[in-house]
Every structure is written in structure tokens, then in C-alpha cells.
Amino acid sequence: MNISSKLPNVGTTIFTVMSALANEHKAINLSQGFPNFDCDEALKKLVASYIKKGHNQYAPMPGVPALRKNLIQKISNQYGANLDPDTEITITAGATQAIFTAITALIRPDDEVILIEPAYDSYAPSVKVNGGIVRTYQLSAPDYKVDWKAFSRLITSRTKMIIINTPHNPTGSILEEEDLRKLETLTKGTDIIVLSDEVYEHIIFDKTDHQSVLKFPELYSRSLAVFSFGKTFHATGWKMGYVVGPDYLMREFRRVHQFNVFTVNTPIQYALADYIQKEENYIHLSEFYQKKRDFFANRIKDSRFDLLPCRGTYFQTVSYAKISDERDTDFAQRMTTEYGVAAIPVSVFYNNKKDEKVVRLCFAKTEDVLEKAAKLLCKI
Ligand code: PMP
Ligand code: GLN
């Protein structure tokens, strides 16, 4: 049969490719972003208890009411926004589904969507499969800051959406209050929707406050914000997340959501509803990961890699410009096969494969693994 692919230029994601290469060569896998430690025993017990109690059938389409209510309370405590649990939040099967569903619900053929590159790998295909047109704004190493004046030149009458991500994967940079204010001004009075990927909201360092779109009422009035329990509770395999936005956008989101997944894992929703009620279960996350960032950074600071600033996420980017001038994809491959540490080349997150000789290392690992990896990196 002759199938004309809707995504002809999409191959296997870099995360799958590098993890497979790491496994094949028994390299330490600092490529794909996931912890090598387990989630909290108490959370696992809660899930088991809700399965035992028989919460095993479909949840309501927008999510279990207790979870929505408790998340809205958490949002109010954190960001000072008072939202409606019935109309402004939907529980999703992770952030990826939330992003895909939001784009599918809102982007029509020929609508333009602006991405800030390096951009998380699911954004562009999600836009393209819906017939949207991707416009890109490129950040540059080492600080990956947005110049909003330059950015504003990308906005046209066809711009329908801007996707932001803070703290930022893969660079570990963050958007500051001033950035959000500029974005608010730029989009005020337009029909542009802001899709804000905030899956690392609780992994932000050096006592900095995360700047969520939920803190800016004017910006929030045209935004959808996406979150993931996978990052916050060390459970990336559960694929649980949620999306928050004003009712008129959430209505559109749910129109697609109900036919995309309809509803997501019931017992885990009940467990999370209980678990998130205790702040203790997430407020120390930044501290926890900052220790890992510093532990790892201290052990590679005398290597030939240059460390780039890491202000959030569990990724440390490093420049290998002093070591080699080969392409980052080749270098990342060689790091894995010859030196035993797998990394993600940052160029893959640019549409034009801009290569600044930077690779991303995931430090969501136990200290023994970080120590071993650092020793290997110091030999390169
Ligand atoms: N956005 C970003 C920036 C991410 O890093 C990730 C996952 N690492 C996701 C979205 C997807 O999250 P989930 O696993 O909940 O789908
Ligand atoms: N988000 C994770 C990362 O950036 C991986 C997600 C995936 O494997 N698709 O590494």
C-alpha cells in the first residue's frame, strides 16, 4: 500500500536511540531523563491501597474530583491563583499527552506556532501532524536567554500559539519574571495562546522562584500550563500529569481529550490526591536535586568539559569545544561507545541542527553512579 507519511522526517526519538546505545555498550546512561532511584514507598502503598479498595474503573473524564480539588489548592498556595477545579484543570496521561491534546484542540492547518529552540522534541511533530507551521526562535549557549525584541519579529497575523518551557529542557535555563512580563505584553490583545510547559516547576535552584504563567492573571487568561507528576515524584513511568487553563480553553482541550484518552489511570489519581496534600512530599525537591547538581559539577569541574549554567531541571549541559570539533551527535555517540557515558547532543533540539558543541547530562542519579560517570568524563 502506498502510505504518504504525515511525519515523513521524523525518526526514532533521540531519547530512545541514546538509551538503546547506552544499554548495548553498557555505558552509564546520563542521556534520557529519568531517575535511577525509586519513588516514595508511601506513594506506592497508596496506589496499592486504592487498587485493593477497588478503584479500578474509569475515572470522570476531567479527572478524579479530589485530585483536581487538591491540585487547585496547591496552585493557590504556590502561585496565588484561585481557579475552578471543575472547569480549569484536567488530569492527563503525562505532559506529552497534554501538549499533544492542547495543540490538536487549538491548531488548524496553516496556523503558526512559535517554538523556542532548543525545543523539547515532541513540540514540532505535534504541531506538524495537525497541519500547523512551526516558526522557531533560537537560543544560544551559554546562557540561552530570550531577546524578546528579536522574538517579537516572528509574530505574524497567523501566529496562533507560542510554546514556552521553564525550567528549560535541555538547557537548564529558566525564564525570569521579566521574561513572563514581556511575553504578557507581547501577546496582550492578540488571539495568541501560550502553551507553557512547566514540568520542572519543582526543580529550580539557588533559591529562585519558579515563574509560572499561573502567577500572571493577564497572561493566564490566554494560557494552558502543563505539569507532570513523573518529574516531581520520581515516577516517569506512570505517565501522569495535568493541564491548567481558563475555562474557554479547557473546554476545547476536553473536546479532544475525551476522544484521545477519555480518562487516565484511576487508582493513581486517588493516590496522588492524598499524597500531594502534604507539602513535605514535594517542597524539598529543588534542594534534593541541587545537591546532585553540585555533587556532579564538583566532580567534573576539573575535566576538559566546560559546565554551562544550570538553574533548574535535572540536566547539566556541558561544552566539549576544548576536546573535539566533531558534530555533537558524533561526539555523544563516541562518548557512549568509547568512554562509557551516554549523553544527549543538544543540536537535535534545533530544527536546523545548530551545533554549539554542547551535550546534556542527566544528574537524576544516585551519587555512586554520578561519581563513576564523573571519573569517566574526567578521562576524556
Ligand atoms: N516536557 C518536557 C520539557 C519534558 O522534559 C518532558 C519529559 N521529560 C515532558 C514534557 C514529558 O513529560 P511526561 O513524561 O509527563 O509526558
Ligand atoms: N523527557 C525526558 C528527557 O528529556 C525523556 C522523555 C522521553 O524519553 N520521551 O530526557
Side-chain angles (χ1 to χ4, degrees):
M1 206 191 334
N2 191 7
I3 293 177
S4 154
S5 175
K6 292 184 81 175
L7 291 172
N9 302 319
V10 162
T12 309
T13 83
I14 189 69
F15 306 118
T16 306
V17 170
M18 291 312 300
S19 277
L21 196 67
N23 290 339
E24 189 190 331
H25 291 268
K26 302 200 169 26
I28 299 177
N29 189 3
L30 305 190
S31 64
Q32 192 177 19
F34 62 89
N36 76 330
F37 39 87
D38 205 358
C39 58
D40 187 358
E41 206 55 44
L43 180 56
K44 291 200 279 188
K45 276 200 183 131
L46 278 172
V47 175
S49 80
Y50 280 108
I51 290 176
K52 278 211 185 105
K53 276 190 232 161
H55 290 279
N56 297 310
Q57 310 308 329
Y58 295 130
M61 185 271 281
V64 163
L67 178 57
R68 281 185 281 131
K69 182 172 143 273
N70 295 347
L71 281 170
I72 290 295
Q73 184 60 53
K74 174 176 180 286
I75 287 168
S76 164
N77 299 345
Q78 256 174 265
Y79 301 124
N82 293 314
L83 310 179
D84 183 339
D86 289 331
T87 58
E88 297 184 87
I89 182 165
T90 301
I91 312 302
T92 63
T96 313
Q97 185 243 314
I99 291 162
F100 187 82
T101 300
I103 292 170
T104 303
L106 298 162
I107 296 304
R108 293 163 188 272
D110 297 332
D111 283 345
E112 294 183 358
V113 178
I114 305 178
L115 308 186
I116 298 177
E117 291 186 332
Y120 188 61
D121 72 338
S122 84
Y123 304 158
S126 304
V127 172
K128 288 179 188 161
V129 83
N130 282 293
I133 304 200
V134 172
R135 300 275 176 234
T136 55
Y137 174 81
Q138 292 198 339
L139 302 173
S140 293
D143 57 358
Y144 299 102
K145 280 256 155 230
V146 181
D147 171 348
W148 290 102
K149 206 162 172 198
F151 180 94
S152 70
R153 287 185 215 119
L154 288 171
I155 296 179
T156 72
S157 57
R158 285 193 163 170
T159 307
K160 189 72 202 208
M161 181 180 277
I162 294 170
I163 305 183
I164 60 169
N165 170 217
T166 183
H168 186 252
N169 178 10
T171 69
S173 62
I174 57 170
L175 295 176
E176 317 257 8
E177 179 175 349
E178 197 195 345
D179 293 303
L180 280 273
R181 293 248 178 255
K182 286 191 173 147
L183 180 62
E184 185 171 58
T185 308
L186 263 185
T187 52
K188 195 172 177 172
T190 69
D191 290 331
I192 300 171
I193 295 152
V194 174
L195 181 59
S196 183
D197 180 342
E198 303 184 21
V199 302
Y200 299 102
E201 65 171 334
H202 289 299
I203 312 180
I204 184 157
F205 306 131
D206 309 314
K207 300 207 167 10
T208 314
D209 285 335
H210 168 59
Q211 298 300 329
S212 171
V213 291
L214 306 181
K215 279 171 87 168
F216 302 84
E218 163 68 36
L219 188 56
Y220 174 70
S221 72
R222 51 182 171 278
S223 297
L224 283 172
V226 169
F227 302 88
S228 172
F229 294 109
K231 314 289 160 187
T232 304
F233 297 129
H234 317 312
T236 59
W238 287 2
K239 296 300 293 187
M240 295 291 290
Y242 55 102
V243 59
V244 181
D247 57 359
Y248 74 101
L249 289 179
M250 196 53 70
R251 236 185 342 262
E252 295 309 315
F253 181 93
R254 288 178 183 175
R255 281 190 216 260
V256 175
H257 179 77
Q258 66 176 336
F259 298 119
N260 184 353
V261 286
F262 179 57
T263 172
V264 304
N265 193 305
T266 305
I268 295 185
Q269 289 195 61
Y270 278 102
L272 287 167
D274 288 354
Y275 194 71
I276 61 162
Q277 278 187 290
K278 265 204 209 146
E279 261 191 358
E280 279 297 301
N281 288 331
Y282 55 85
I283 51 166
H284 303 298
L285 199 63
S286 291
E287 211 178 300
F288 172 81
Y289 275 120
Q290 185 168 326
K291 260 198 207 138
K292 290 193 183 296
R293 177 196 67 170
D294 295 345
F295 179 91
F296 188 50
N298 272 327
R299 277 155 187 78
I300 58 174
K301 70 176 188 311
D302 296 327
S303 72
R304 290 200 291 155
F305 290 97
D306 284 320
L307 278 80
L308 276 54
C310 170
R311 305 193 58 197
T313 76
Y314 43 51
F315 303 116
Q316 173 70 61
T317 47
V318 293
S319 160
Y320 62 89
K322 284 189 197 142
I323 301 172
S324 162
D325 61 6
E326 70 202 295
R327 279 206 64 79
D328 65 353
T329 40
D330 295 334
F331 186 75
Q333 186 152 5
R334 223 156 52 75
M335 273 179 71
T336 314
T337 57
E338 288 179 25
Y339 296 102
V341 182
I344 297 284
V346 168
S347 71
V348 302
F349 302 107
Y350 289 98
N351 182 42
N352 66 353
K353 309 296 169 224
K354 175 164 128 172
D355 176 15
E356 295 190 295
K357 314 292 173 215
V358 174
V359 293
R360 187 196 84 173
L361 300 163
C362 172
F363 57 80
K365 308 293 165 190
T366 43
E367 288 188 353
D368 58 322
V369 170
L370 293 175
E371 177 102 55
K372 258 194 226 156
K375 279 200 178 123
L376 294 170
L377 293 170
C378 286
K379 287 191 193 145
I380 301 180

